[in-house]
Amino acid sequence: MERWDRIGRGAAYGAALALLPYLLIKVVWVVGSLVGTLPVGTGFGVAEWVVLNTVTVGMAGIGVALALALVRPWGMRIPGALVAFCAWVGSGLLVSILPFGVLSTLLGVGADSQDGGDEPVRPVWEGLLVQFSFLGMGLGLALAVPAHLRRRWPQAFTGRAGDAPRAAPPWAAVVGAAVGLVWLYWAAGGTVGIAHPTERTTHGYALGAVSGFWALAGSAAVWMIRRGHVLPGCPAGCPWCSAGWDRARCSHGAAGSCPSPCMQLWRSRPASPLRKAPAPR
């Protein structure tokens, strides 16, 4: 077994284990809300709180199953499109949030967003476990997904991107770069296009900076792939994570969000040999 494959397999198991605390915490929230031993969030009724957290329990369960599917033999029997879609969504939500986790720690993000009202106070260790689950799952996916894709579609990892005929940069890369610059403009304090600029917090500025970074990184990586100027390890990962991040941001309807140009990165790709390897004879 190759070293890279061993690292990917270990990362997949680590991701599944890292997400278990979040899954268990959410289950406790649901059960505690139903029996009346734990408070519900401010602005929620019991039914709404239970439904919301039941959905996140399901999402966490899918995340654990995805991590195991990336390493267990039965994962290769699941349709590749389904595994790739779930991995893309998970990577967009968790891998791309890693820079924001670092920024929020350095800047103390969250201190300016506390209302100090009737919001239920959660134990500090609970918040630390939730952050551990997110960061651990994100780091695990960053290593496990490429290793799984390499086992499933080995042809896609042979040769070099520069071997393909050079073409003009795809329009999606240009639009993605423009979107990234807009995000950075907002992160730097720009107010054009912001509905309520006085209500922005440090959280919003940091999130805008991360959004701009991923949009520019994905655009630059796609441009390098099309032009044949390749940095090892960067081109495949940046469009993958930045497209997933763009999907996650726009699906949540964040203030100042825009249509998703990075969703077009996949459509504008060159022809790819992503096919199943022929069975050995």
Side-chain angles (χ1 to χ4, degrees):
M1 186 185 301
E2 298 180 4
R3 180 183 178 185
W4 175 249
D5 191 60
R6 287 198 300 269
I7 293 175
R9 290 177 181 273
Y13 285 120
L17 289 175
L19 199 58
L20 285 179
Y22 176 80
L23 174 61
L24 295 176
I25 287 173
K26 288 294 186 173
V27 170
V28 170
W29 284 11
V30 171
V31 176
S33 300
L34 288 174
V35 300
T37 58
L38 289 178
V40 301
T42 302
F44 291 92
V46 174
E48 297 170 333
W49 185 251
V50 169
V51 169
L52 174 64
N53 285 283
T54 300
V55 170
T56 56
V57 166
M59 293 174 64
I62 293 174
V64 172
L66 168 64
L68 294 177
L70 296 176
V71 64
R72 300 301 301 165
W74 52 264
M76 299 296 288
R77 296 193 292 270
I78 300 176
L82 178 60
V83 175
F85 175 77
C86 292
W88 173 66
V89 173
S91 300
L93 287 171
L94 298 174
V95 176
S96 53
I97 204 72
L98 295 177
F100 176 73
V102 175
L103 282 177
S104 63
T105 300
L106 295 177
L107 300 177
V109 170
D112 56 356
S113 60
Q114 300 297 324
D115 296 328
D118 299 327
E119 182 69 27
V121 178
R122 304 290 180 183
V124 174
W125 60 265
E126 190 175 90
L128 293 176
L129 282 178
V130 170
Q131 291 299 323
F132 169 78
S133 292
F134 287 162
L135 296 179
M137 184 66 175
L139 288 173
L141 287 178
L143 297 174
V145 170
H148 175 83
L149 296 179
R150 191 168 185 265
R151 290 194 302 272
R152 184 180 284 264
W153 293 298
Q155 298 96 328
F157 291 83
T158 58
R160 297 178 300 176
D163 295 338
R166 298 189 178 187
W171 69 267
V174 178
V175 176
V179 172
L181 292 176
V182 171
W183 275 114
L184 293 181
Y185 163 75
W186 286 332
T191 59
V192 177
I194 300 295
H196 304 286
T198 59
E199 298 178 4
R200 289 190 295 176
T201 63
T202 306
H203 181 283
Y205 288 115
L207 200 58
V210 172
S211 300
F213 164 77
W214 282 112
L216 292 177
S219 299
V222 170
W223 183 85
M224 286 190 294
I225 290 175
R226 292 294 295 269
R227 300 292 294 175
H229 303 294
V230 180
L231 295 179
C234 173
C238 286
W240 176 275
C241 292
S242 61
W245 171 257
D246 188 70
R247 183 214 63 80
R249 292 283 291 127
C250 291
S251 67
H252 284 288
S257 62
C258 53
S260 177
C262 289
M263 294 284 285
Q264 303 297 328
L265 294 178
W266 174 257
R267 298 173 188 169
S268 62
R269 74 196 188 285
S272 173
L274 289 180
R275 300 187 301 271
K276 272 194 173 181
R281 297 180 179 177

